[in-house]
Amino acid sequence: MNAINQFYKNGAIGVFDSGIGGLSVLSEIRKALPDVNLIYFGDQDHVPYGPRELSQVLGFSMAITEFLLSLGSKMIVVACNTASAAALKELRETYSEMPFVGMEPAIKPAVEQTLSGAVGVLATPATFQSKLYASVIERFATGVEIYQDTCPGLVQEIEKGNFNGKVTTKILNKALYPMLEKNIDSIVLGCTHYPYVISLIKFLVGPDVRVINPAPAVARQTKKIFSQIIRSGNPELSPTTTIITSGDEKKLRKKVRDFFPYENSVMKANWIENQLVLNVTQ
Ligand code: DGL
């Protein structure tokens, strides 16, 4: 409980995703902001979000935000493209005083840099169906061909820790091969789980295709906004990172050792009547 008490006192940045995907963003935020408390929530009880209705993901995102605010978050990073697509607008309307940073597929840099005029995007079905994605395409994808794939099953394989096995390779080959045939020269990672398989993606597409991971840009934006809201704050002498899951915290603790090379503690929260309750007995 010590870590949580500290958040109440000094504030923190709250970050969430459906599972371990957002840890790829959390690592970048920790690099950019070494002296800030971070609270991460991974909704592993409900992962994957991608095949769900946007309205259901909206409900989860609202409750998770409420939970992270109750733990002392001063801003929220929606480190999930699917949750951003489903909920970012409503979150900003509901918590109008609270700064939010969300994710959207990095179509803009891909379109700016493409020479072949063909760009591939990997994201979840919910992200592709969203108004947010439609507006990104409308604003930035003029004069280029966009090829999309939902990589069915990939998020689940990544949650299992399968970053380069047979099944993962098969899913990615199926997605990428038709795109390569269309002469793409950029591929946008539109899901925060996919940076875990970036080495495999790079291997499959070869050196001439640029793979765009927006996590470092999201961390820069987080730093910019956080420094505006905590102008007078002193740096934390011993900043904490608390990682909370609605799934199996013991399994996650093992995984986090490999993926998040910073001091942290892993805790469990339970969904009770559509709200998150921290398990304080741990
Ligand atoms: N990591 C998420 C995203 O960025 C969600 C993946 C999922 O749960 O389907 O979209």
Side-chain angles (χ1 to χ4, degrees):
M1 279 302 285
N2 287 342
I4 298 299
N5 286 336
Q6 202 174 16
F7 294 151
Y8 278 112
K9 210 166 62 187
N10 299 329
I13 299 177
V15 182
F16 75 90
D17 178 49
S18 61
I20 61 169
L23 290 174
S24 63
V25 181
L26 192 76
S27 297
E28 295 296 330
I29 295 174
R30 178 46 88 215
K31 258 191 248 167
L33 289 159
D35 49 17
V36 169
N37 290 326
L38 300 175
I39 318 174
Y40 181 86
F41 178 74
D43 193 7
Q44 290 186 298
D45 194 23
H46 293 136
V47 70
Y49 278 3
R52 294 176 186 270
E53 294 292 323
L54 287 166
S55 57
Q56 190 185 28
V57 179
L58 169 63
F60 295 152
S61 304
M62 286 287 182
I64 294 166
T65 298
E66 198 60 45
F67 176 63
L68 291 173
L69 295 181
S70 77
L71 299 179
S73 301
K74 300 289 181 229
M75 72 176 283
I76 302 288
V77 180
V78 186
C80 174
N81 289 76
T82 308
S84 298
L88 195 56
K89 187 171 170 279
E90 286 79 358
L91 287 171
R92 286 186 169 134
E93 282 165 9
T94 308
Y95 303 96
S96 51
E97 303 290 304
M98 182 61 50
F100 285 90
V101 172
M103 314 279 311
E104 60 178 36
I107 302 287
K108 189 173 179 237
V111 169
E112 279 166 2
Q113 291 166 23
T114 179
L115 296 175
S116 70
V119 167
V121 186
L122 306 180
T124 68
T127 296
F128 285 133
Q129 281 154 27
S130 68
K131 282 188 190 152
L132 180 70
Y133 183 69
S135 110
V136 169
I137 291 293
E138 198 186 304
R139 281 180 288 144
F140 304 121
T142 36
V144 297
E145 293 297 330
I146 301 286
Y147 299 97
Q148 300 171 182
D149 199 284
T150 59
C151 302
L154 184 56
V155 167
Q156 292 93 315
E157 290 306 313
I158 290 170
E159 284 285 322
K160 283 190 245 164
N162 178 7
F163 301 152
N164 49 25
K166 248 191 194 161
V167 181
T168 300
T169 308
K170 198 172 162 200
I171 296 169
L172 281 170
N173 251 327
K174 202 164 167 230
L176 296 170
Y177 187 69
M179 294 183 179
L180 292 171
E181 287 211 306
K182 299 288 183 188
N183 203 22
I184 58 153
D185 64 0
S186 311
I187 186 104
V188 174
L189 304 187
C191 169
T192 55
H193 277 76
Y194 300 167
Y196 288 105
V197 290
I198 198 166
S199 304
L200 179 58
I201 293 174
K202 283 185 176 164
F203 173 75
L204 295 174
V205 296
D208 297 334
V209 176
R210 190 179 301 109
V211 182
I212 302 175
N213 172 17
V218 169
R220 283 196 296 277
Q221 178 68 359
T222 303
K223 183 178 179 175
K224 194 172 144 197
I225 294 180
F226 195 71
S227 55
Q228 284 163 5
I229 53 172
I230 311 281
R231 269 199 202 99
S232 55
N234 292 321
E236 290 291 332
L237 290 176
S238 48
T240 60
T241 306
T242 299
I243 296 171
I244 305 171
T245 178
S246 56
D248 185 330
E249 80 274 24
K250 289 189 192 85
K251 274 193 192 157
L252 184 62
R253 204 166 281 137
K254 276 192 206 138
K255 278 189 192 152
V256 161
R257 266 181 231 143
D258 300 334
F259 312 151
F260 189 76
Y262 301 94
E263 190 60 30
N264 63 77
S265 56
V266 178
M267 302 178 85
K268 160 99 177 164
N270 298 305
W271 282 103
I272 298 173
E273 292 175 4
N274 301 324
Q275 289 191 336
L276 282 163
V277 179
L278 193 67
N279 184 350
V280 287
T281 57
Q282 53 208 328

